Amino acid sequence: MVTVSASSGRPYHLIIYGASGFTGQFVVEEVARTSSEGPKGNLKWAIAGRSRPKLEKVLEQAAEALGRPDLKSVDIIIADVGEPESLAAMCRQGVIVLNCVGPYRFFGEPVVQACVENGAHLLDVSGEPQFLEGIQLNYHDKASEQGVYIIGSCGFDSIPADMGVIYTRDQFKGTLTTVESFLSANTGPEGARLNEGTWQSAIYGLADSSKLRSLRKKFGHKPLPVVGTKIKRRSALFFSREMQQYAVPFMGTDPSVVKRTQRYLAEELHESPVQYGAYVGIGGISSVFKFLFFGMMFWFMVKCSFGRKLLIKKNIYIFLTALNFYVVCCPQIEETSFQFVFFGEGYTEDQDPSQGKPNAKIRTVVQGPEPGYVATPISMVQAAITILNEPESLPKKGGVYTPGSAFGKTTIIKRLDKHGIKFSIM
């Protein structure tokens, strides 16, 4: 049986683990902003980590930023990923744990294990496909037995893409068979910025791409049925007529997450799966040359241990500067935004998908604020709020789920829309 309510033995609706980390600090502020959206208008929450002074500082900063002196009295739980008993004690006190400690390949699994064994649901913002799929392989059955939801990639990776495909399907009048998404970002004069943990996750995620193939073989999945015309895969670099700029395949976790969602919809709910292709716009011809040069350099460096160590060292900031990215402690978030455009094709209600080519199209868009430290906390917190307020719309059993498989029948899209992540038809 799945339980999503607080009790005397489990006093907190939410526990933010890793609250003193870079992402965690923004999640703390977002939880504080949305506390009135908790069950019966009252969200009970605490923060957790290994350093009480750092956690107290986070609360002080949030109190000052939001003009909320009461935040200084939010409860603090001391827990360390290297001390299993402390993680277990933390998990026993909360309904949902928001895990903000990355890279997840190093620190994620102990938290998952503690949540499963102690009955707490878990959300994370991992963008590491090998970690996410490994957790599904190793913990889905255990989580199901315990009635626990483990839902990964609940940030910019990959709620906009995963829920964007579901939104496009729901808006389509007929049978949607293929979707291609194109991601573009608008940045200020100083470029986009990311913190050290996010940077390391990107490095290790790409480095593990070969191991991911062997991991997937362990699932023993049969190929998903192809409904309608098979999607055409684009080349490694192409000019997108749809976006009027050059584009490349998106190397993040979105394709993995969306495909897992479509498999769940097909195998568990017997719905027609959607074929998906993900791409990112890189701009004009000058951007292409920059991308090719630095992209190839990055690729070769992450494929060897020496290169990965060099990329992680502080002196590699020169390399990042050339890419117009910076690993710093204060991102330029106000002037940054993102946009996903989804191009869907399918068959109208009176057309048989097994006969002929698609005869209908749809274009939708998901757009929002800075991805890493505004959209990610919004997505993560609204995912948690959805679990607390709409348990009847979630999967009937616990398990390891993607955002789309967990929230596809909920009102999370409307919740995100109210908080600045907009879904619409173009």
PDB file of all heavy atoms in Angstrom, residues 103-106 127-133 200-216 251 298-299 302-304 308:
ATOM      1  N   PRO A 103      27.439  14.261  -7.717  1.00  0.00           N
ATOM      2  CA  PRO A 103      26.906  13.407  -8.778  1.00  0.00           C
ATOM      3  C   PRO A 103      26.258  12.142  -8.213  1.00  0.00           C
ATOM      4  O   PRO A 103      26.779  11.525  -7.288  1.00  0.00           O
ATOM      5  CB  PRO A 103      28.154  13.065  -9.611  1.00  0.00           C
ATOM      6  CG  PRO A 103      29.159  14.112  -9.274  1.00  0.00           C
ATOM      7  CD  PRO A 103      28.886  14.461  -7.834  1.00  0.00           C
ATOM      8  N   TYR A 104      25.138  11.762  -8.812  1.00  0.00           N
ATOM      9  CA  TYR A 104      24.356  10.659  -8.277  1.00  0.00           C
ATOM     10  C   TYR A 104      25.054   9.314  -8.445  1.00  0.00           C
ATOM     11  O   TYR A 104      24.796   8.385  -7.685  1.00  0.00           O
ATOM     12  CB  TYR A 104      22.975  10.638  -8.934  1.00  0.00           C
ATOM     13  CG  TYR A 104      22.115  11.798  -8.493  1.00  0.00           C
ATOM     14  CD1 TYR A 104      22.097  12.999  -9.199  1.00  0.00           C
ATOM     15  CD2 TYR A 104      21.336  11.708  -7.351  1.00  0.00           C
ATOM     16  CE1 TYR A 104      21.324  14.072  -8.784  1.00  0.00           C
ATOM     17  CE2 TYR A 104      20.558  12.768  -6.919  1.00  0.00           C
ATOM     18  CZ  TYR A 104      20.560  13.954  -7.643  1.00  0.00           C
ATOM     19  OH  TYR A 104      19.799  15.018  -7.222  1.00  0.00           O
ATOM     20  N   ARG A 105      25.922   9.182  -9.415  1.00  0.00           N
ATOM     21  CA  ARG A 105      26.626   7.912  -9.602  1.00  0.00           C
ATOM     22  C   ARG A 105      27.483   7.592  -8.393  1.00  0.00           C
ATOM     23  O   ARG A 105      27.781   6.421  -8.129  1.00  0.00           O
ATOM     24  CB  ARG A 105      27.487   7.940 -10.865  1.00  0.00           C
ATOM     25  CG  ARG A 105      28.581   8.977 -10.855  1.00  0.00           C
ATOM     26  CD  ARG A 105      29.510   8.838 -12.056  1.00  0.00           C
ATOM     27  NE  ARG A 105      30.517   7.821 -11.832  1.00  0.00           N
ATOM     28  CZ  ARG A 105      31.195   7.224 -12.803  1.00  0.00           C
ATOM     29  NH1 ARG A 105      30.922   7.504 -14.051  1.00  0.00           N
ATOM     30  NH2 ARG A 105      32.129   6.339 -12.518  1.00  0.00           N
ATOM     31  N   PHE A 106      27.888   8.600  -7.623  1.00  0.00           N
ATOM     32  CA  PHE A 106      28.703   8.396  -6.424  1.00  0.00           C
ATOM     33  C   PHE A 106      27.861   8.373  -5.153  1.00  0.00           C
ATOM     34  O   PHE A 106      28.138   7.605  -4.232  1.00  0.00           O
ATOM     35  CB  PHE A 106      29.748   9.497  -6.300  1.00  0.00           C
ATOM     36  CG  PHE A 106      30.773   9.499  -7.395  1.00  0.00           C
ATOM     37  CD1 PHE A 106      31.108  10.673  -8.041  1.00  0.00           C
ATOM     38  CD2 PHE A 106      31.404   8.324  -7.787  1.00  0.00           C
ATOM     39  CE1 PHE A 106      32.054  10.695  -9.050  1.00  0.00           C
ATOM     40  CE2 PHE A 106      32.352   8.332  -8.797  1.00  0.00           C
ATOM     41  CZ  PHE A 106      32.674   9.515  -9.437  1.00  0.00           C
ATOM     42  N   GLY A 127      20.640  13.752 -13.972  1.00  0.00           N
ATOM     43  CA  GLY A 127      20.698  13.762 -15.422  1.00  0.00           C
ATOM     44  C   GLY A 127      21.659  12.706 -15.919  1.00  0.00           C
ATOM     45  O   GLY A 127      22.278  12.877 -16.971  1.00  0.00           O
ATOM     46  N   GLU A 128      21.782  11.600 -15.176  1.00  0.00           N
ATOM     47  CA  GLU A 128      22.746  10.547 -15.478  1.00  0.00           C
ATOM     48  C   GLU A 128      22.004   9.258 -15.848  1.00  0.00           C
ATOM     49  O   GLU A 128      21.544   8.533 -14.973  1.00  0.00           O
ATOM     50  CB  GLU A 128      23.644  10.310 -14.267  1.00  0.00           C
ATOM     51  CG  GLU A 128      24.360  11.579 -13.783  1.00  0.00           C
ATOM     52  CD  GLU A 128      24.941  11.441 -12.387  1.00  0.00           C
ATOM     53  OE1 GLU A 128      25.484  10.358 -12.083  1.00  0.00           O
ATOM     54  OE2 GLU A 128      24.846  12.409 -11.604  1.00  0.00           O
ATOM     55  N   PRO A 129      21.869   8.961 -17.141  1.00  0.00           N
ATOM     56  CA  PRO A 129      21.076   7.805 -17.566  1.00  0.00           C
ATOM     57  C   PRO A 129      21.520   6.480 -16.945  1.00  0.00           C
ATOM     58  O   PRO A 129      20.678   5.656 -16.593  1.00  0.00           O
ATOM     59  CB  PRO A 129      21.263   7.796 -19.090  1.00  0.00           C
ATOM     60  CG  PRO A 129      21.543   9.213 -19.442  1.00  0.00           C
ATOM     61  CD  PRO A 129      22.349   9.749 -18.286  1.00  0.00           C
ATOM     62  N   GLN A 130      22.828   6.268 -16.811  1.00  0.00           N
ATOM     63  CA  GLN A 130      23.271   4.984 -16.261  1.00  0.00           C
ATOM     64  C   GLN A 130      22.809   4.822 -14.818  1.00  0.00           C
ATOM     65  O   GLN A 130      22.364   3.741 -14.409  1.00  0.00           O
ATOM     66  CB  GLN A 130      24.786   4.840 -16.344  1.00  0.00           C
ATOM     67  CG  GLN A 130      25.244   3.455 -15.880  1.00  0.00           C
ATOM     68  CD  GLN A 130      26.742   3.259 -15.956  1.00  0.00           C
ATOM     69  OE1 GLN A 130      27.469   4.183 -16.273  1.00  0.00           O
ATOM     70  NE2 GLN A 130      27.207   2.059 -15.664  1.00  0.00           N
ATOM     71  N   PHE A 131      22.890   5.890 -14.034  1.00  0.00           N
ATOM     72  CA  PHE A 131      22.412   5.823 -12.656  1.00  0.00           C
ATOM     73  C   PHE A 131      20.915   5.554 -12.622  1.00  0.00           C
ATOM     74  O   PHE A 131      20.436   4.666 -11.905  1.00  0.00           O
ATOM     75  CB  PHE A 131      22.725   7.128 -11.923  1.00  0.00           C
ATOM     76  CG  PHE A 131      22.017   7.259 -10.608  1.00  0.00           C
ATOM     77  CD1 PHE A 131      22.469   6.577  -9.491  1.00  0.00           C
ATOM     78  CD2 PHE A 131      20.877   8.051 -10.489  1.00  0.00           C
ATOM     79  CE1 PHE A 131      21.792   6.675  -8.275  1.00  0.00           C
ATOM     80  CE2 PHE A 131      20.207   8.160  -9.277  1.00  0.00           C
ATOM     81  CZ  PHE A 131      20.668   7.466  -8.170  1.00  0.00           C
ATOM     82  N   LEU A 132      20.154   6.299 -13.410  1.00  0.00           N
ATOM     83  CA  LEU A 132      18.697   6.192 -13.395  1.00  0.00           C
ATOM     84  C   LEU A 132      18.234   4.797 -13.804  1.00  0.00           C
ATOM     85  O   LEU A 132      17.372   4.199 -13.157  1.00  0.00           O
ATOM     86  CB  LEU A 132      18.097   7.238 -14.336  1.00  0.00           C
ATOM     87  CG  LEU A 132      18.288   8.702 -13.918  1.00  0.00           C
ATOM     88  CD1 LEU A 132      17.997   9.634 -15.088  1.00  0.00           C
ATOM     89  CD2 LEU A 132      17.405   9.041 -12.732  1.00  0.00           C
ATOM     90  N   GLU A 133      18.813   4.269 -14.878  1.00  0.00           N
ATOM     91  CA  GLU A 133      18.383   2.957 -15.353  1.00  0.00           C
ATOM     92  C   GLU A 133      18.913   1.847 -14.460  1.00  0.00           C
ATOM     93  O   GLU A 133      18.267   0.805 -14.301  1.00  0.00           O
ATOM     94  CB  GLU A 133      18.816   2.777 -16.806  1.00  0.00           C
ATOM     95  CG  GLU A 133      18.131   3.785 -17.738  1.00  0.00           C
ATOM     96  CD  GLU A 133      18.400   3.526 -19.208  1.00  0.00           C
ATOM     97  OE1 GLU A 133      18.550   2.353 -19.602  1.00  0.00           O
ATOM     98  OE2 GLU A 133      18.459   4.512 -19.979  1.00  0.00           O
ATOM     99  N   GLN A 200      30.287  17.979 -13.185  1.00  0.00           N
ATOM    100  CA  GLN A 200      30.797  16.628 -13.001  1.00  0.00           C
ATOM    101  C   GLN A 200      29.794  15.582 -13.481  1.00  0.00           C
ATOM    102  O   GLN A 200      30.178  14.562 -14.068  1.00  0.00           O
ATOM    103  CB  GLN A 200      31.152  16.389 -11.535  1.00  0.00           C
ATOM    104  CG  GLN A 200      32.367  17.169 -11.052  1.00  0.00           C
ATOM    105  CD  GLN A 200      32.767  16.800  -9.632  1.00  0.00           C
ATOM    106  OE1 GLN A 200      32.460  15.721  -9.157  1.00  0.00           O
ATOM    107  NE2 GLN A 200      33.446  17.712  -8.963  1.00  0.00           N
ATOM    108  N   SER A 201      28.502  15.828 -13.246  1.00  0.00           N
ATOM    109  CA  SER A 201      27.480  14.892 -13.715  1.00  0.00           C
ATOM    110  C   SER A 201      27.509  14.768 -15.230  1.00  0.00           C
ATOM    111  O   SER A 201      27.361  13.674 -15.790  1.00  0.00           O
ATOM    112  CB  SER A 201      26.083  15.348 -13.250  1.00  0.00           C
ATOM    113  OG  SER A 201      25.976  15.247 -11.844  1.00  0.00           O
ATOM    114  N   ALA A 202      27.699  15.901 -15.915  1.00  0.00           N
ATOM    115  CA  ALA A 202      27.768  15.882 -17.377  1.00  0.00           C
ATOM    116  C   ALA A 202      28.981  15.084 -17.849  1.00  0.00           C
ATOM    117  O   ALA A 202      28.894  14.303 -18.803  1.00  0.00           O
ATOM    118  CB  ALA A 202      27.833  17.309 -17.913  1.00  0.00           C
ATOM    119  N   ILE A 203      30.103  15.265 -17.178  1.00  0.00           N
ATOM    120  CA  ILE A 203      31.330  14.554 -17.560  1.00  0.00           C
ATOM    121  C   ILE A 203      31.155  13.048 -17.394  1.00  0.00           C
ATOM    122  O   ILE A 203      31.409  12.263 -18.313  1.00  0.00           O
ATOM    123  CB  ILE A 203      32.515  15.051 -16.711  1.00  0.00           C
ATOM    124  CG1 ILE A 203      32.847  16.507 -17.067  1.00  0.00           C
ATOM    125  CG2 ILE A 203      33.740  14.161 -16.919  1.00  0.00           C
ATOM    126  CD1 ILE A 203      33.834  17.155 -16.119  1.00  0.00           C
ATOM    127  N   TYR A 204      30.689  12.631 -16.225  1.00  0.00           N
ATOM    128  CA  TYR A 204      30.575  11.201 -15.961  1.00  0.00           C
ATOM    129  C   TYR A 204      29.431  10.564 -16.752  1.00  0.00           C
ATOM    130  O   TYR A 204      29.507   9.397 -17.135  1.00  0.00           O
ATOM    131  CB  TYR A 204      30.387  10.959 -14.466  1.00  0.00           C
ATOM    132  CG  TYR A 204      31.615  11.263 -13.655  1.00  0.00           C
ATOM    133  CD1 TYR A 204      31.596  12.238 -12.650  1.00  0.00           C
ATOM    134  CD2 TYR A 204      32.812  10.589 -13.886  1.00  0.00           C
ATOM    135  CE1 TYR A 204      32.731  12.526 -11.909  1.00  0.00           C
ATOM    136  CE2 TYR A 204      33.949  10.868 -13.154  1.00  0.00           C
ATOM    137  CZ  TYR A 204      33.905  11.843 -12.167  1.00  0.00           C
ATOM    138  OH  TYR A 204      35.021  12.127 -11.435  1.00  0.00           O
ATOM    139  N   GLY A 205      28.375  11.331 -17.002  1.00  0.00           N
ATOM    140  CA  GLY A 205      27.273  10.795 -17.791  1.00  0.00           C
ATOM    141  C   GLY A 205      27.705  10.437 -19.201  1.00  0.00           C
ATOM    142  O   GLY A 205      27.369   9.361 -19.721  1.00  0.00           O
ATOM    143  N   LEU A 206      28.483  11.312 -19.828  1.00  0.00           N
ATOM    144  CA  LEU A 206      28.973  11.031 -21.168  1.00  0.00           C
ATOM    145  C   LEU A 206      30.029   9.929 -21.148  1.00  0.00           C
ATOM    146  O   LEU A 206      30.080   9.081 -22.045  1.00  0.00           O
ATOM    147  CB  LEU A 206      29.558  12.302 -21.787  1.00  0.00           C
ATOM    148  CG  LEU A 206      29.948  12.237 -23.264  1.00  0.00           C
ATOM    149  CD1 LEU A 206      28.758  11.814 -24.115  1.00  0.00           C
ATOM    150  CD2 LEU A 206      30.472  13.590 -23.731  1.00  0.00           C
ATOM    151  N   ALA A 207      30.846   9.900 -20.114  1.00  0.00           N
ATOM    152  CA  ALA A 207      31.888   8.872 -20.013  1.00  0.00           C
ATOM    153  C   ALA A 207      31.293   7.477 -19.889  1.00  0.00           C
ATOM    154  O   ALA A 207      31.899   6.488 -20.317  1.00  0.00           O
ATOM    155  CB  ALA A 207      32.787   9.166 -18.814  1.00  0.00           C
ATOM    156  N   ASP A 208      30.095   7.369 -19.322  1.00  0.00           N
ATOM    157  CA  ASP A 208      29.486   6.069 -19.077  1.00  0.00           C
ATOM    158  C   ASP A 208      28.598   5.584 -20.219  1.00  0.00           C
ATOM    159  O   ASP A 208      27.905   4.570 -20.078  1.00  0.00           O
ATOM    160  CB  ASP A 208      28.631   6.120 -17.803  1.00  0.00           C
ATOM    161  CG  ASP A 208      29.482   6.122 -16.545  1.00  0.00           C
ATOM    162  OD1 ASP A 208      30.639   5.698 -16.627  1.00  0.00           O
ATOM    163  OD2 ASP A 208      28.982   6.554 -15.496  1.00  0.00           O
ATOM    164  N   SER A 209      28.599   6.283 -21.340  1.00  0.00           N
ATOM    165  CA  SER A 209      27.665   5.951 -22.417  1.00  0.00           C
ATOM    166  C   SER A 209      27.846   4.520 -22.926  1.00  0.00           C
ATOM    167  O   SER A 209      26.874   3.845 -23.267  1.00  0.00           O
ATOM    168  CB  SER A 209      27.815   6.947 -23.572  1.00  0.00           C
ATOM    169  OG  SER A 209      29.154   6.964 -24.051  1.00  0.00           O
ATOM    170  N   SER A 210      29.075   4.023 -22.984  1.00  0.00           N
ATOM    171  CA  SER A 210      29.301   2.656 -23.461  1.00  0.00           C
ATOM    172  C   SER A 210      28.793   1.620 -22.452  1.00  0.00           C
ATOM    173  O   SER A 210      28.262   0.572 -22.838  1.00  0.00           O
ATOM    174  CB  SER A 210      30.792   2.434 -23.746  1.00  0.00           C
ATOM    175  OG  SER A 210      31.564   2.625 -22.567  1.00  0.00           O
ATOM    176  N   LYS A 211      28.935   1.909 -21.165  1.00  0.00           N
ATOM    177  CA  LYS A 211      28.454   0.988 -20.135  1.00  0.00           C
ATOM    178  C   LYS A 211      26.930   0.913 -20.127  1.00  0.00           C
ATOM    179  O   LYS A 211      26.350  -0.096 -19.714  1.00  0.00           O
ATOM    180  CB  LYS A 211      28.958   1.426 -18.766  1.00  0.00           C
ATOM    181  CG  LYS A 211      30.478   1.409 -18.621  1.00  0.00           C
ATOM    182  CD  LYS A 211      30.893   1.889 -17.242  1.00  0.00           C
ATOM    183  CE  LYS A 211      32.408   1.929 -17.097  1.00  0.00           C
ATOM    184  NZ  LYS A 211      32.820   2.437 -15.763  1.00  0.00           N
ATOM    185  N   LEU A 212      26.294   1.990 -20.580  1.00  0.00           N
ATOM    186  CA  LEU A 212      24.838   2.031 -20.575  1.00  0.00           C
ATOM    187  C   LEU A 212      24.253   0.966 -21.496  1.00  0.00           C
ATOM    188  O   LEU A 212      23.215   0.369 -21.184  1.00  0.00           O
ATOM    189  CB  LEU A 212      24.369   3.429 -20.995  1.00  0.00           C
ATOM    190  CG  LEU A 212      22.876   3.734 -20.920  1.00  0.00           C
ATOM    191  CD1 LEU A 212      22.351   3.499 -19.515  1.00  0.00           C
ATOM    192  CD2 LEU A 212      22.614   5.167 -21.352  1.00  0.00           C
ATOM    193  N   ARG A 213      24.898   0.705 -22.604  1.00  0.00           N
ATOM    194  CA  ARG A 213      24.393  -0.300 -23.544  1.00  0.00           C
ATOM    195  C   ARG A 213      24.371  -1.697 -22.920  1.00  0.00           C
ATOM    196  O   ARG A 213      23.408  -2.447 -23.088  1.00  0.00           O
ATOM    197  CB  ARG A 213      25.238  -0.293 -24.819  1.00  0.00           C
ATOM    198  CG  ARG A 213      25.009   0.931 -25.702  1.00  0.00           C
ATOM    199  CD  ARG A 213      25.695   0.790 -27.050  1.00  0.00           C
ATOM    200  NE  ARG A 213      27.145   0.874 -26.937  1.00  0.00           N
ATOM    201  CZ  ARG A 213      27.832   2.002 -26.991  1.00  0.00           C
ATOM    202  NH1 ARG A 213      27.195   3.150 -27.154  1.00  0.00           N
ATOM    203  NH2 ARG A 213      29.145   2.002 -26.887  1.00  0.00           N
ATOM    204  N   SER A 214      25.430  -2.033 -22.194  1.00  0.00           N
ATOM    205  CA  SER A 214      25.461  -3.347 -21.554  1.00  0.00           C
ATOM    206  C   SER A 214      24.443  -3.429 -20.415  1.00  0.00           C
ATOM    207  O   SER A 214      23.859  -4.493 -20.173  1.00  0.00           O
ATOM    208  CB  SER A 214      26.866  -3.646 -21.030  1.00  0.00           C
ATOM    209  OG  SER A 214      27.267  -2.679 -20.067  1.00  0.00           O
ATOM    210  N   LEU A 215      24.229  -2.313 -19.724  1.00  0.00           N
ATOM    211  CA  LEU A 215      23.225  -2.293 -18.655  1.00  0.00           C
ATOM    212  C   LEU A 215      21.830  -2.563 -19.219  1.00  0.00           C
ATOM    213  O   LEU A 215      21.048  -3.327 -18.640  1.00  0.00           O
ATOM    214  CB  LEU A 215      23.260  -0.935 -17.951  1.00  0.00           C
ATOM    215  CG  LEU A 215      22.149  -0.655 -16.930  1.00  0.00           C
ATOM    216  CD1 LEU A 215      22.274  -1.605 -15.739  1.00  0.00           C
ATOM    217  CD2 LEU A 215      22.210   0.795 -16.442  1.00  0.00           C
ATOM    218  N   ARG A 216      21.513  -1.968 -20.347  1.00  0.00           N
ATOM    219  CA  ARG A 216      20.171  -2.112 -20.919  1.00  0.00           C
ATOM    220  C   ARG A 216      19.886  -3.544 -21.351  1.00  0.00           C
ATOM    221  O   ARG A 216      18.726  -3.971 -21.343  1.00  0.00           O
ATOM    222  CB  ARG A 216      20.012  -1.146 -22.091  1.00  0.00           C
ATOM    223  CG  ARG A 216      19.868   0.304 -21.643  1.00  0.00           C
ATOM    224  CD  ARG A 216      19.923   1.281 -22.782  1.00  0.00           C
ATOM    225  NE  ARG A 216      19.639   2.638 -22.314  1.00  0.00           N
ATOM    226  CZ  ARG A 216      19.859   3.737 -23.028  1.00  0.00           C
ATOM    227  NH1 ARG A 216      20.374   3.637 -24.250  1.00  0.00           N
ATOM    228  NH2 ARG A 216      19.574   4.923 -22.525  1.00  0.00           N
ATOM    229  N   MET A 251      22.358  15.212 -26.178  1.00  0.00           N
ATOM    230  CA  MET A 251      23.143  14.177 -25.514  1.00  0.00           C
ATOM    231  C   MET A 251      22.752  13.962 -24.053  1.00  0.00           C
ATOM    232  O   MET A 251      23.392  13.189 -23.351  1.00  0.00           O
ATOM    233  CB  MET A 251      24.630  14.534 -25.590  1.00  0.00           C
ATOM    234  CG  MET A 251      25.167  14.690 -27.006  1.00  0.00           C
ATOM    235  SD  MET A 251      24.993  13.182 -27.984  1.00  0.00           S
ATOM    236  CE  MET A 251      26.174  12.129 -27.145  1.00  0.00           C
ATOM    237  N   PHE A 298      36.014  18.042 -25.874  1.00  0.00           N
ATOM    238  CA  PHE A 298      35.334  17.549 -24.676  1.00  0.00           C
ATOM    239  C   PHE A 298      35.111  16.041 -24.764  1.00  0.00           C
ATOM    240  O   PHE A 298      35.333  15.294 -23.805  1.00  0.00           O
ATOM    241  CB  PHE A 298      34.012  18.288 -24.513  1.00  0.00           C
ATOM    242  CG  PHE A 298      33.219  17.879 -23.302  1.00  0.00           C
ATOM    243  CD1 PHE A 298      33.581  18.317 -22.042  1.00  0.00           C
ATOM    244  CD2 PHE A 298      32.103  17.061 -23.420  1.00  0.00           C
ATOM    245  CE1 PHE A 298      32.854  17.939 -20.917  1.00  0.00           C
ATOM    246  CE2 PHE A 298      31.372  16.675 -22.320  1.00  0.00           C
ATOM    247  CZ  PHE A 298      31.748  17.120 -21.069  1.00  0.00           C
ATOM    248  N   TRP A 299      34.652  15.568 -25.928  1.00  0.00           N
ATOM    249  CA  TRP A 299      34.372  14.149 -26.125  1.00  0.00           C
ATOM    250  C   TRP A 299      35.600  13.296 -25.859  1.00  0.00           C
ATOM    251  O   TRP A 299      35.542  12.299 -25.131  1.00  0.00           O
ATOM    252  CB  TRP A 299      33.850  13.926 -27.541  1.00  0.00           C
ATOM    253  CG  TRP A 299      33.615  12.489 -27.881  1.00  0.00           C
ATOM    254  CD1 TRP A 299      34.490  11.608 -28.442  1.00  0.00           C
ATOM    255  CD2 TRP A 299      32.404  11.754 -27.662  1.00  0.00           C
ATOM    256  NE1 TRP A 299      33.908  10.366 -28.601  1.00  0.00           N
ATOM    257  CE2 TRP A 299      32.639  10.420 -28.129  1.00  0.00           C
ATOM    258  CE3 TRP A 299      31.159  12.075 -27.139  1.00  0.00           C
ATOM    259  CZ2 TRP A 299      31.657   9.444 -28.075  1.00  0.00           C
ATOM    260  CZ3 TRP A 299      30.185  11.087 -27.090  1.00  0.00           C
ATOM    261  CH2 TRP A 299      30.436   9.794 -27.541  1.00  0.00           C
ATOM    262  N   VAL A 302      36.626  13.268 -22.017  1.00  0.00           N
ATOM    263  CA  VAL A 302      35.825  12.484 -21.065  1.00  0.00           C
ATOM    264  C   VAL A 302      36.004  10.990 -21.255  1.00  0.00           C
ATOM    265  O   VAL A 302      35.641  10.202 -20.379  1.00  0.00           O
ATOM    266  CB  VAL A 302      34.319  12.837 -21.153  1.00  0.00           C
ATOM    267  CG1 VAL A 302      34.089  14.293 -20.862  1.00  0.00           C
ATOM    268  CG2 VAL A 302      33.738  12.441 -22.503  1.00  0.00           C
ATOM    269  N   LYS A 303      36.563  10.579 -22.376  1.00  0.00           N
ATOM    270  CA  LYS A 303      36.702   9.151 -22.646  1.00  0.00           C
ATOM    271  C   LYS A 303      37.937   8.529 -21.987  1.00  0.00           C
ATOM    272  O   LYS A 303      38.136   7.315 -22.076  1.00  0.00           O
ATOM    273  CB  LYS A 303      36.738   8.916 -24.156  1.00  0.00           C
ATOM    274  CG  LYS A 303      35.395   9.151 -24.846  1.00  0.00           C
ATOM    275  CD  LYS A 303      34.305   8.270 -24.260  1.00  0.00           C
ATOM    276  CE  LYS A 303      32.971   8.497 -24.920  1.00  0.00           C
ATOM    277  NZ  LYS A 303      31.902   7.634 -24.360  1.00  0.00           N
ATOM    278  N   CYS A 304      38.787   9.342 -21.362  1.00  0.00           N
ATOM    279  CA  CYS A 304      39.938   8.779 -20.652  1.00  0.00           C
ATOM    280  C   CYS A 304      40.001   9.376 -19.253  1.00  0.00           C
ATOM    281  O   CYS A 304      39.547  10.501 -19.021  1.00  0.00           O
ATOM    282  CB  CYS A 304      41.239   9.055 -21.407  1.00  0.00           C
ATOM    283  SG  CYS A 304      41.696  10.787 -21.528  1.00  0.00           S
ATOM    284  N   ARG A 308      39.226  13.267 -17.858  1.00  0.00           N
ATOM    285  CA  ARG A 308      38.159  13.579 -16.901  1.00  0.00           C
ATOM    286  C   ARG A 308      38.713  14.325 -15.695  1.00  0.00           C
ATOM    287  O   ARG A 308      38.098  15.281 -15.212  1.00  0.00           O
ATOM    288  CB  ARG A 308      37.457  12.291 -16.462  1.00  0.00           C
ATOM    289  CG  ARG A 308      36.619  11.658 -17.560  1.00  0.00           C
ATOM    290  CD  ARG A 308      35.709  10.580 -17.003  1.00  0.00           C
ATOM    291  NE  ARG A 308      36.457   9.435 -16.496  1.00  0.00           N
ATOM    292  CZ  ARG A 308      36.818   8.388 -17.242  1.00  0.00           C
ATOM    293  NH1 ARG A 308      36.523   8.361 -18.531  1.00  0.00           N
ATOM    294  NH2 ARG A 308      37.471   7.368 -16.715  1.00  0.00           N
TER     295      ARG A 308
END
